[in-house]
Amino acid sequence: MAELFVDVCVSLPLADGLTYRVPEELKDTVAVGKRVLVPVKSRKITGYITAIKKDTELEGIRDIIDVLDDAPLFDQKRLSFYRWLSSYYFVPLGEVISLISPPSAEPKSFRHILLTEEGRRYLKEGTEEAVKEVLLEVGTRGKSLAALLKALKHKRTVRSLVERLKERGLIKEEVRLKTLKERKELIVRLKGWVDVHPRAVAQRRVLECLKERGGWVSAGELKKECGNVRDAVSALIEKDAVEVKEVVSIRDPLSDTDPYGSEVTPTVEQKHAIDEIKKGLDRGFSPYLLWGVTGSGKTLVYLKAIEEALKRGKRALFLVPEIALTLKPAAQLIHRFPGKVAIMHSSLSEGERFDTWQRIVRGEVDVVVGTRSALFVPLKELGIIIVDEEHDPSYKQEESPRYNARDCALVLAKTLGATVVLGSATPSVETFYNAKRGRLGLLRLERRVKGARLPDIELVDMSKEEGLLSKRLVELMEGCLCRGEQAMLFLNRRGFSNFLLCRNCGYVPRCPNCTVSLTLHRKEGLLRCHYCEFSKDVSGLCPQCGGYNIKLPGAGTERLEEEVRRLFPEAELVRIDRDTVRRRGMLKELMERVESKKAQILLGTQMVSKGHHFPDITLVGVVAGDVSLNIADFRSAERTFQLILQAAGRAGRGGRPARVVVQTYMPEHPCFVHIKRHDYEGFLEEELLSRKDAHYPPYRRLATLRVEGTSEKKVLKAAELLKGVCQKVACSLKGIEVLGPAEPIPPRLRGKVRRQALIKAQDAKALNRFVHTVKTHLEGAKPAGVSLVIDVDPVLSL
C-alpha cells in the first residue's frame, strides 16, 4: 500500500504546520478538517488536518496517534477563511484553527510520576528524609508532575530532586492523556407499587414521588425532593418496585432560562428591513447595516431574519459584544426555536462548553448566541450572521490572535456566501463610511416602536456646580421617584476613587506592574489595579511621609452609590458593574430587580448602557460625560458619543416622556452639541472630515508594532532596532507613514516595558506587505526576552 501523509496545524508558535505519516489502520479515517492526536517532542497534542498528500521530501516523519473526529469540523471554504485571518492578523495558522474547539474538548497530555519497585523498597528502608517525602507524596497510585510540584512547592529544589530520583530509578514517568468526558447520571422510574413497612418512610416518599411524576426522574431531582434516598432506592430495586438506568446528562447553561417573547406585528420600517434581508438570503453574500435608533425594534428584525434563514435549511449565528447581553436574545430565540438554541462564551463552565460544543458538532443546534469567540464554532450550513452593537470595541480581542469579530464576520460570510447584518443605533465611523459608499446595504429604523419618543437631552455645565450630582439632576430624580418611575445613572468608571493623593507630599499609590495609579475600592478595603488586578490593603497613613491628609480625587460607581444613598435613603438602588456581578447569576438577579420595579434607581457602568429594555426608566443621568473624551485615542469622540447615546437610549422606552441629563465640563464641544440634537449622522460627517485630514481610518489602514519585555534596557534596544527597520522598509514601499516608536499608554503593563510604532498605510495590501517585511527582519535580530506584538486596527474589511 502507498504511504499517506498529512499536514497538521497545532496551537504552537510555528509559522508552518507539521507533517505526519498516517499508519495503515487510520488511512480510511483521515480527512481535511478532522482533529488528530500527534506527538510533538515528548508531548501528545491535538492538531487539525489541513492537507493530505501521498509523498513528502521530509525525513524522520512520525505517525499520527489517533483521529479524534467522525466528521470534519471545517471544509476548504472555512480553511481559506482561517488562512486569511492568519495572514491578515499575523498569527500562526494553528493558533487560529485552535479557536474552533474549547480547551475542554481537546485531549491533553501530562507527565505522570509513579513509584518503581526500587522506590517502594526505599520507602521502607531508605534514610534520606527529603527523598522519602517526595516518594510518599507520589504514593501508590502515582501523581501528575504538576500536582507533585504544587504539593511540594515549599521545597525550592523539588524539580531537580524529581529528576535525580528518576536517574536513581526510584520513580518513573509516563505520558498520559486527560480528556473531559460526558457527564452521566442515574434516572429512576416506578415499575409497580409495593407495600412497604410503616417505618420505611424514605421508601414510601420515593414511591409517592415517582408515582406523582409518572415517568423517569433523575436521581438529583429525587434527592432534592426526598432527601438522601440512595439506600431506599436500593431496597426498592430489590423489591422490583423501581428500575434504574444510567444516561448522558447534558450540561446546558440555558436549562434554567425561561422562553421569552410574543408575536409582534412588524412596523412598516421593520417589514422593509426584513424583506430586504430575505432577498439577501436568496442572493448569497449580502452585507447589511441595520441602523436603528434605540428602541426601534432591531431585535425583531434579527429574529425574523433568523427565522427566514432556518426556513431555507440554513443555520444562524447571533453575536453580541458582552456576556451580559447573551441571555435576552437567547430567551427570545428559545421561544421561537425550542431545543435548537445554544450559547457560547468564556464564562461557561468547562463541562457546559464541552457539551454545548458537542451538540453543535452533532448538528443538534440551529442558532448559536455568543460573544466574539462564538464566531469560530463549527456551525455547518451557516446562512446568516447577526452582529449586534457592531460598533462596540469589545469585538476586538486584546490577546493573540488579535482579531476583530465584526470584520471577521464579514469575511466569513463572504467566504461562505452567507448574509451578515451589522446592527447598531450608533454605527462605527468605518461602517457608516462603507454604507455611504454602497458596500453595505443600508436599512434604517428611524422611529421607536409603539409610538415612543426619543428622550429630550439637556447638558449641564459642571464648572458651575459642586459635588458629584448637579442640582438639576437631583431635582429631576426627586420628581421621577415621586411619580413612581425609575431613574438610571451612568458612570463608566468603577471603584470609589480612581486614585489617592497625599496632600502633604504628593504621593500617589501606583501599581508595581503597570505605570498606573491604583483605584480605591473602599468596601473591600483595597487599592486595585484595573489592568493586572494587583491589589493591596488601604492604609489611612501616607506610606511615604506618614501623613494622614489623604485626598480622594475622581469618583467611581462605588462613590456614586454612596452619594445617591445619602440623597435618597428610602429608594431601592441597584449597582451593576464588574465588582457587583463577580458571582455567577448575580447579573440576572440584579436585572430582575430592576425589571420588576423592586429597584427605583439603577446605577452602573457601560454594562447597563446597551441592549437592555427597561420600560419604566424615564430619567437617565450621565454623571461624567467627559471621562472617555480626553483619552489619547483618535476614536475618543466617537466612543463618547456612542456611550452617551446608548445610555440615553434606556430612557422612555415604555412610551412615557423621558429626559436625559449629560453632565460635562465642555458643553460647547461638537460631540455634545450633536448629542443634544440626537444628530449622530451629522457628527459622523464631521468626524469623517477630520479623519481624512489626519490620515486616519477609514481613509488609511493602521497597525501598531509593539516591542515588550521585562528588561527596559533590552526593550529600548529593540525599539531602536524597530525604528531603523521601519524607516528602511518604508523607503522601499509607497504610501507608508511610520510614527514612533514611542511610549504607549501605559508604558509599563503587567510587568512588561513597552514601546510601539504606529504604521499608516494607504490600503490593506501595502500594510500587510510592510508589516510582514518588518517582522521578518526583526525575528532573528531583536534581543532575547523581547517579543514583537502586532495589532491591526479594526477597519471593516470588505
Side-chain angles (χ1 to χ4, degrees):
M1 290 286 287
E3 287 196 308
L4 198 63
F5 301 91
V6 289
D7 288 339
V8 176
C9 277
V10 294
S11 185
L12 291 173
L14 303 170
D16 301 309
L18 302 170
T19 300
Y20 290 89
R21 193 180 75 87
V22 182
E24 195 65 39
E25 66 273 16
L26 295 177
K27 283 184 178 178
D28 292 337
T29 63
V30 295
V32 170
K34 285 189 177 183
R35 292 176 302 157
V36 287
L37 194 64
V38 293
V40 177
K41 294 185 178 179
S42 61
R43 299 165 58 196
K44 298 174 184 175
I45 64 175
T46 302
Y48 296 80
I49 299 176
T50 56
I52 300 174
K53 51 194 181 184
K54 294 181 180 179
D55 53 51
T56 178
E57 296 179 357
L58 299 172
E59 296 181 355
I61 301 293
R62 301 170 77 179
D63 288 359
I64 62 172
I65 299 167
D66 199 5
V67 178
L68 302 177
D69 300 305
D70 295 328
L73 298 178
F74 58 83
D75 56 13
Q76 287 292 346
K77 284 186 176 181
R78 293 241 187 183
L79 181 56
S80 69
F81 165 68
Y82 302 142
R83 291 190 190 281
W84 168 85
L85 197 151
S86 168
S87 173
Y88 189 81
Y89 292 105
F90 307 98
V91 289
L93 181 59
E95 195 173 330
V96 173
I97 297 182
S98 66
L99 297 171
I100 294 171
S101 58
S104 54
E106 306 290 354
K108 294 178 179 63
S109 65
F110 64 95
R111 297 165 68 184
H112 194 75
I113 308 298
L114 294 161
L115 293 180
T116 61
E117 286 300 323
E118 189 67 28
R120 291 189 183 91
R121 277 197 297 273
Y122 194 91
L123 266 176
K124 296 175 182 178
E125 304 166 6
T127 56
E128 296 176 74
E129 290 301 319
V131 172
K132 291 177 76 173
E133 184 182 0
V134 174
L135 298 180
L136 278 169
E137 193 62 47
V138 172
T140 56
R141 298 178 64 183
K143 186 168 276 189
S144 72
L145 178 61
L148 185 62
L149 295 175
K150 185 177 180 181
L152 298 171
K153 62 184 177 183
H154 60 284
K155 299 182 74 65
R156 294 182 180 178
T157 58
V158 63
R159 188 180 285 274
S160 59
L161 181 57
V162 166
E163 294 302 320
R164 290 201 301 274
L165 296 185
K166 282 165 60 181
E167 291 172 6
R168 289 169 61 177
L170 300 179
I171 58 176
K172 62 181 179 179
E173 181 180 309
E174 293 178 352
V175 177
R176 293 188 175 181
L177 283 177
K178 178 184 178 183
T179 56
L180 191 67
K181 297 180 180 178
E182 294 175 321
R183 185 177 67 176
K184 302 287 183 69
E185 70 172 349
L186 293 175
I187 57 174
V188 188
R189 183 171 69 175
L190 183 66
K191 287 180 72 177
W193 185 272
V194 295
D195 292 324
V196 295
H197 194 280
R199 291 185 180 178
V201 178
Q203 292 181 38
R204 182 171 292 278
R205 279 205 304 267
V206 171
L207 288 169
E208 289 173 349
C209 177
L210 294 176
K211 184 180 179 182
E212 185 181 336
R213 293 290 191 95
W216 291 102
V217 179
S218 72
E221 291 174 344
L222 206 57
K223 185 178 179 180
K224 278 182 185 177
E225 204 158 313
C226 306
N228 193 349
V229 292
R230 178 179 293 183
D231 293 340
V233 171
S234 297
L236 290 170
I237 291 172
E238 290 180 10
K239 295 173 182 176
D240 203 31
V242 301
E243 60 179 319
V244 177
K245 68 178 180 180
E246 190 178 59
V247 295
V248 174
S249 172
I250 300 295
R251 291 160 285 202
D252 183 5
L254 292 174
S255 59
D256 60 349
T257 301
D258 296 324
Y260 166 81
S262 57
E263 282 304 316
V264 178
T265 303
T267 65
V268 173
E269 287 182 330
Q270 288 172 324
K271 188 177 184 307
H272 171 72
I274 294 163
D275 289 343
E276 287 299 314
I277 295 170
K278 283 165 66 175
K279 293 175 187 174
L281 287 167
D282 295 327
R283 191 166 50 233
F285 173 58
S286 301
Y288 294 100
L289 166 61
L290 180 62
W291 183 359
V293 299
T294 55
S296 60
K298 293 184 288 295
T299 302
L300 180 63
V301 176
Y302 300 152
L303 296 175
K304 291 287 188 183
I306 290 171
E307 191 176 287
E308 291 295 330
L310 267 58
K311 284 179 183 177
R312 289 160 172 77
K314 298 293 185 179
R315 292 189 169 95
L317 183 60
F318 193 127
L319 297 182
V320 293
E322 295 179 10
I323 293 169
L325 300 176
T326 55
L327 287 178
K328 197 73 173 277
Q332 292 172 310
L333 287 161
I334 290 170
H335 172 74
R336 291 170 179 265
F337 316 109
K340 294 294 184 180
V341 180
I343 60 170
M344 185 65 86
H345 54 70
S346 59
S347 282
L348 303 183
S349 69
E350 272 196 349
E352 287 172 335
R353 292 185 79 184
F354 177 76
D355 286 355
T356 300
W357 186 80
Q358 291 280 18
R359 287 180 61 214
I360 294 168
V361 169
R362 290 194 298 264
E364 297 171 9
V365 173
D366 287 339
V367 187
V368 175
V369 181
T371 49
R372 59 177 180 260
S373 60
L375 183 71
F376 299 94
V377 297
L379 195 63
K380 292 182 173 62
E381 297 298 328
L382 183 60
I384 188 167
I385 305 174
I386 306 294
V387 185
D388 192 24
E389 310 291 359
E390 65 81 28
H391 65 278
D392 199 292
S394 297
Y395 282 120
K396 175 72 165 59
Q397 170 121 326
E398 296 303 328
E399 297 170 355
S400 186
R402 292 173 170 81
Y403 65 91
N404 182 277
R406 178 203 61 195
D407 290 11
C408 290
L410 281 159
V411 177
L412 178 59
K414 188 174 183 179
T415 305
L416 300 179
T419 296
V420 60
V421 180
L422 311 181
S424 180
T426 53
S428 70
V429 170
E430 292 81 10
T431 304
F432 172 73
Y433 175 77
N434 277 285
K436 272 189 68 176
R437 298 187 69 185
R439 294 179 176 178
L440 297 169
L442 180 58
L443 308 173
R444 295 292 297 263
L445 303 178
E446 299 184 38
R447 296 179 182 82
R448 283 186 159 185
V449 296
K450 297 180 181 178
R453 290 177 56 245
L454 288 169
D456 294 326
I457 298 178
E458 61 181 88
L459 307 176
V460 174
D461 187 350
M462 291 303 286
S463 64
K464 301 172 183 177
E465 299 281 341
E466 293 182 3
L468 202 53
L469 299 177
S470 63
K471 292 176 184 176
R472 176 61 174 161
L473 182 52
V474 172
E475 175 190 315
L476 289 171
M477 287 181 71
E478 288 172 348
C480 174
L481 298 178
C482 284
R483 293 190 299 272
E485 298 166 356
Q486 292 174 301
M488 186 183 101
L489 297 178
F490 169 66
L491 175 59
N492 205 28
R493 184 195 289 141
R494 59 193 177 97
F496 188 86
S497 174
N498 58 325
F499 67 98
L500 288 119
L501 172 68
C502 176
R503 289 182 171 181
N504 293 341
C505 69
Y507 172 77
V508 175
R510 294 188 177 276
C511 175
N513 307 314
C514 315
T515 45
V516 295
S517 56
L518 295 171
T519 299
L520 172 63
H521 291 254
R522 195 150 82 172
K523 282 189 177 179
E524 298 173 287
L526 293 174
L527 289 167
R528 177 176 283 132
C529 174
H530 287 177
Y531 286 94
C532 71
E533 293 301 314
F534 167 84
S535 64
K536 68 176 185 178
D537 293 337
V538 178
S539 171
L541 299 177
C542 173
Q544 185 162 284
C545 70
Y548 57 87
N549 192 8
I550 306 294
K551 187 181 180 183
L552 308 176
T557 48
E558 190 180 336
R559 186 173 188 172
L560 178 60
E561 179 187 6
E562 184 180 279
E563 176 68 6
V564 173
R565 289 192 187 280
R566 184 186 67 80
L567 291 169
F568 305 99
E570 295 183 5
E572 182 73 21
L573 182 148
V574 162
R575 172 163 68 95
I576 296 179
D577 55 32
R578 268 184 56 193
D579 298 321
T580 62
V581 296
R582 291 184 186 273
R583 178 172 62 81
R584 183 169 177 173
M586 195 63 200
L587 177 63
K588 186 179 178 183
E589 289 177 27
L590 294 175
M591 287 294 186
E592 284 174 352
R593 285 174 62 190
V594 179
E595 289 169 355
S596 64
K597 292 196 68 176
K598 289 179 182 176
Q600 289 81 50
I601 300 173
L602 171 62
L603 180 159
T605 57
Q606 63 179 0
M607 290 182 74
V608 303
S609 69
K610 56 198 169 192
H612 302 296
H613 181 70
F614 304 119
D616 293 302
I617 288 180
T618 59
L619 174 66
V620 168
V622 179
V623 176
D626 310 323
V627 166
S628 56
L629 193 58
N630 298 312
I631 295 173
D633 183 346
F634 72 91
R635 289 191 173 95
S636 62
E638 179 188 356
R639 296 272 191 262
T640 299
F641 203 120
Q642 289 165 344
L643 279 170
I644 292 176
L645 209 62
Q646 290 283 344
R650 300 318 102 196
R653 297 169 78 95
R656 281 179 280 190
R659 186 169 295 275
V660 176
V661 174
V662 180
Q663 299 185 160
T664 172
Y665 287 92
M666 298 181 285
E668 303 303 320
H669 192 286
C671 176
F672 294 114
V673 172
H674 285 293
I675 283 173
K676 186 176 180 180
R677 298 198 298 255
H678 289 276
D679 183 18
Y680 191 54
E681 188 164 355
F683 167 78
L684 289 173
E685 294 286 4
E686 282 190 13
E687 189 70 9
L688 279 172
L689 290 174
S690 65
R691 298 269 186 100
K692 190 172 186 178
D693 291 340
H695 294 181
Y696 279 118
Y699 301 101
R700 291 290 188 277
R701 299 298 178 105
L702 299 185
T704 55
L705 303 183
R706 186 168 66 247
V707 287
E708 58 183 34
T710 54
S711 167
E712 185 173 7
K713 184 178 179 181
K714 287 184 177 181
V715 171
L716 292 178
K717 185 179 177 181
E720 281 301 310
L721 181 63
L722 174 63
K723 182 179 180 180
V725 171
C726 283
Q727 289 175 345
K728 183 179 177 181
V729 176
C731 290
S732 63
L733 295 173
K734 290 183 179 180
I736 299 290
E737 184 181 352
V738 180
L739 303 177
E743 287 188 349
I745 299 175
R748 184 182 179 90
L749 185 66
R750 300 182 184 95
K752 291 185 177 181
V753 179
R754 313 187 304 160
R755 296 294 183 273
Q756 73 181 28
L758 177 66
I759 314 302
K760 295 182 180 181
Q762 286 184 345
D763 55 55
K765 286 184 179 178
L767 181 68
N768 195 279
R769 195 181 312 119
F770 176 85
V771 174
H772 267 298
T773 307
V774 171
K775 183 175 179 244
T776 304
H777 277 75
L778 282 176
E779 273 173 352
K782 60 183 173 59
V786 175
S787 56
L788 174 66
V789 177
I790 302 169
D791 204 342
V792 179
D793 187 76
V795 290
L796 197 68
S797 302
L798 283 172

